[in-house]
Amino acid sequence: MAHEDMTDQGPSFHADQVDSGQIDTLVAILDVQAQLPGIQRMRHWAHEALAVTAGERALDIGSGTGSEAMAFAERVGADGEAVGIDPNPAMVAIAERRAAAAGSTARYVDGSVYELPFPDGHFDAIRCERVYQHLDDPAAATAEIARALRPGGRVLLIDSDWHTSITHPGDPAVVRAISETLLANTPNPASGRRLRGLLVAAGFEIDDMGSEAVIWDPGSALPLYDEMTERAVAAGAVTAEQHDQFRADLNAGIAVGDYHLSVTMFAVLAHKR
């Protein structure tokens, strides 16, 4: 069975479709998103909950620009192993350059969550953020994570639930049409609410759960809204005039500080029995 495997940071970036001309834009978006207070709070909670310690082996799936694998490297020290894996070779190269510049021991590999290039039971801890929303077979991915973890090993899954997105201002009917287009074009838009069940079905025991309503600022949100509204126009969900009015309304709200752009992210910590 062919699987769809994507980068980890947004509803519309397909790893196999991001060419060299787009990679700089994608990296810029990821860097802006990484500065959002909600993302930072969720990542801090996740690292504290996963509690990686010196000498352990830790894997970050969908490692993107490499920051979270570098955080693992600081925790595991010289006797441990910190690895990031991403399906986009260009992103792996960027993560490697950033790690080298930071003097980090984290290493990065090109690969898929469906076929992790590691032996059975290799890792003590695995982290995976905003990947599941892009997968066509999340159960297979969860089984592969279980295979790569030792008995008692911990996993921390984080993902968005796009049914919880809030956009203000804008005509509610137009906002709803744009949202429905996004949902239709995301393989698992409700992935955040499914993480617990997927882990239980794969034989994990749930240890903790967390959530964060991530408030997006205009700089991080507008590139995604532009793509979403363009898709909605192409699909016939909204007219070009409605698109223009929506963007005008959104821009006007942003100009005076009357706006709200958010989506809720959920995290589940579990261990392998």
Side-chain angles (χ1 to χ4, degrees):
M1 174 181 181
H3 291 290
E4 186 173 19
D5 195 358
M6 289 183 162
T7 55
D8 67 337
Q9 308 297 329
S12 56
F13 294 108
H14 194 305
D16 297 331
Q17 295 175 352
V18 178
D19 59 32
S20 58
Q22 298 171 303
I23 196 70
D24 289 344
T25 299
L26 175 54
V27 169
I29 290 172
L30 299 185
D31 286 343
V32 169
Q33 290 180 1
Q35 297 305 310
L36 292 174
I39 297 292
Q40 293 184 345
R41 285 191 295 268
M42 176 61 84
R43 288 180 169 178
H44 176 76
W45 178 88
H47 279 294
E48 291 301 306
L50 200 53
V52 169
T53 59
E56 289 195 311
R57 295 172 174 171
L59 174 67
D60 186 39
I61 297 174
S63 51
T65 60
S67 62
E68 304 315 291
M70 282 191 270
F72 276 155
E74 292 180 3
R75 287 175 172 264
V76 302
D79 295 328
E81 180 183 13
V83 187
I85 187 169
D86 198 280
N88 189 325
M91 193 64 70
V92 169
I94 288 168
E96 288 176 335
R97 290 197 296 271
R98 290 189 174 189
S104 174
T105 59
R107 67 183 182 90
Y108 301 89
V109 297
D110 175 14
S112 168
V113 65
Y114 296 117
E115 296 180 2
L116 298 173
F118 308 101
D120 294 357
H122 185 74
F123 290 102
D124 299 287
I126 294 178
R127 177 188 178 280
C128 183
E129 178 188 330
R130 287 179 288 172
V131 171
Y132 271 59
Q133 62 188 282
H134 302 301
L135 301 179
D136 62 5
D137 194 347
T142 311
E144 179 65 355
I145 288 172
R147 181 196 65 77
L149 274 173
R150 65 165 174 79
R154 296 98 65 204
V155 60
L156 194 290
L157 302 182
I158 303 173
D159 224 309
S160 306
D161 191 319
W162 288 98
H163 291 273
T164 68
S165 65
I166 299 173
T167 300
H168 167 78
D171 182 325
V174 174
V175 171
R176 184 166 54 251
I178 293 170
S179 177
E180 288 173 354
T181 301
L182 166 67
L183 298 176
N185 283 278
T186 304
N188 287 294
S191 55
R193 71 186 69 177
R194 298 190 60 209
L195 299 177
R196 181 189 181 105
L198 286 163
L199 287 167
V200 170
F204 287 92
E205 184 170 333
I206 305 302
D207 297 311
D208 202 356
M209 297 182 68
S211 66
E212 180 77 32
V214 177
I215 311 298
W216 295 63
D217 61 32
S220 59
L222 289 181
L224 296 180
Y225 274 94
D226 286 340
E227 183 165 349
M228 288 160 52
T229 53
E230 288 168 6
R231 285 193 178 191
V233 171
V238 299
T239 67
E241 292 76 14
Q242 287 174 317
H243 164 275
D244 293 344
Q245 186 60 56
F246 166 73
R247 285 297 270 113
D249 292 342
L250 195 57
N251 287 340
I254 290 169
V256 298
D258 178 20
Y259 67 92
H260 180 96
L261 311 168
S262 72
V263 65
T264 302
M265 293 172 59
F266 296 92
V268 184
L269 174 71
H271 69 271
K272 182 178 175 179
R273 294 191 180 95

